[in-house]
Amino acid sequence: MGLIYALGAFLSWGLVVPVHFRLLDGVPAWGILAHRIVWSALFIALLLVALRLLRRGPIVSFERRHLFLLLSALIIAGNWSLYLWAVQNGRMLEASLGYFVNPLANVALGALVLRERLRPLQLAAVALAALGVVAAVVAAGSLPWIALTLAVSFAIYGLIRKLVPIDPILGLGAETVALLPIALAYLAVAPTPPGLGGVDWLLLVLTGVTTAVPLMWFAAAAARLKLSTLGLMQYLSPSCLLLLSVLVYGEKLPPSRALVFGLIWAGLALYALDAARPRSVAARAPEDRPA
């Protein structure tokens, strides 16, 4: 189930979310962010009522775990804000590089904080992925601070959501409640973009779904998978985004990005091979196993 949740989250971020927000080009980035928070809060509230999860505990309280969720809410809001700033200021290269660096940050946190050990094939997989990131950095010409901030902030967010013992939907509900006043204050003072039609408003409302559902899946995956596994699977998102930009939107694929793509997917293949080996051994019948 952890693998299924992770696939759902990363494929959504790599395919569904970019297409969704590409359709909202006429709306300012900060307006999209505020709408994401407001409609996510409403969607999660309806979901909590429908699933009757409120009986498991309040969303807002002064327990230590909810203080950690306040911290994770501020971290994810800062991550979103920096990404939007990068998009608005022509720094998309650095922002996209951050999504490639982020899984390595997850692997590093898993090893340093959670003491997760990597087997030889897993180490080789991480080395290949790291080599791909180094190639991307060399192609960019410098070590961008935007990429590092995006990578580290989302890695810390994933670590908090892994360590906080709370239902993923309740946890995301607590985060959206913490961010809701800021979003409502922005929408109260910001002018409404001119020329918004019914389709635009429907797309804005649906930002609640495309924001909340992948985050819930990510939190559920983080609770079930090793952080290193989650980190390497996260390469699915930028890889899908790369394919989407080339095959659907007609962007050119530079040789440096093709090299990054190949090295990262080679690392993922090695990691998947290593993950399958213990499972195949365990599945063998006792009489087929070596004495």
Side-chain angles (χ1 to χ4, degrees):
M1 287 305 299
L3 291 174
I4 293 174
Y5 283 131
L7 283 173
F10 297 138
L11 291 177
S12 295
W13 283 328
L15 295 174
V16 178
V17 173
V19 173
H20 187 176
F21 295 127
R22 183 71 178 260
L23 297 174
L24 287 169
D25 284 342
V27 182
W30 301 114
I32 295 176
L33 176 60
H35 277 282
R36 291 177 74 177
I37 295 171
V38 171
W39 296 115
S40 295
L42 178 60
F43 172 73
I44 294 168
L46 293 175
L47 191 61
L48 287 172
V49 173
L51 299 178
R52 298 181 179 179
L53 290 175
L54 288 171
R55 295 181 180 178
R56 298 187 185 180
I59 293 178
V60 179
S61 76
F62 294 101
E63 297 179 17
R64 186 176 64 175
R65 65 178 180 176
H66 289 97
L67 293 178
F68 279 112
L69 289 175
L70 174 61
L71 176 61
S72 67
L74 294 175
I75 290 174
I76 196 63
N79 182 279
W80 288 345
S81 300
L82 180 58
Y83 175 76
L84 290 170
W85 179 89
V87 171
Q88 289 184 322
N89 289 271
R91 310 291 289 272
M92 275 297 297
L93 177 61
E94 294 183 45
S96 63
L97 181 58
Y99 289 102
F100 283 103
V101 177
N102 174 252
L104 290 180
N106 277 341
V107 172
L109 283 179
L112 295 175
V113 179
L114 303 180
R115 305 298 181 184
E116 296 177 353
R117 295 183 178 181
L118 298 178
R119 295 186 290 270
L121 272 181
Q122 293 176 325
L123 286 172
V126 173
L128 278 174
L131 186 58
V133 171
V134 170
V137 170
V138 171
S142 63
L143 189 63
W145 66 270
I146 293 176
L148 289 177
T149 306
L150 286 174
V152 173
S153 61
F154 198 75
I156 295 175
Y157 173 79
L159 177 64
I160 293 175
R161 291 310 307 266
K162 180 174 180 64
L163 295 177
V164 174
I166 190 171
D167 182 274
I169 302 177
L170 287 175
L172 186 57
E175 290 175 342
T176 53
V177 166
L179 297 174
L180 187 58
I182 302 174
L184 290 174
Y186 174 86
L187 292 177
V189 300
T192 302
L196 288 184
V199 175
D200 297 313
W201 281 107
L202 176 61
L203 289 172
L204 285 173
V205 171
L206 289 177
T207 58
V209 179
T210 56
T211 297
V213 172
L215 281 173
M216 287 189 292
W217 286 341
F218 176 79
R224 291 167 170 81
L225 297 177
K226 291 173 60 178
L227 202 60
S228 54
T229 302
L230 194 68
L232 285 173
M233 287 189 67
Q234 197 163 342
Y235 281 120
L236 287 170
S237 291
S239 298
C240 289
L241 186 59
L242 180 62
L243 290 174
L244 186 68
S245 64
V246 173
L247 299 179
V248 177
Y249 294 111
E251 298 182 15
K252 294 183 178 180
L253 178 63
S256 58
R257 285 299 176 91
L259 176 62
V260 171
F261 186 82
L263 288 171
I264 287 172
W265 272 97
L268 283 173
L270 269 183
Y271 198 91
L273 175 64
D274 182 82
R277 290 175 65 192
R279 188 181 296 261
S280 63
V281 172
R284 292 163 61 183
E287 60 270 16
D288 294 332
R289 296 174 187 171

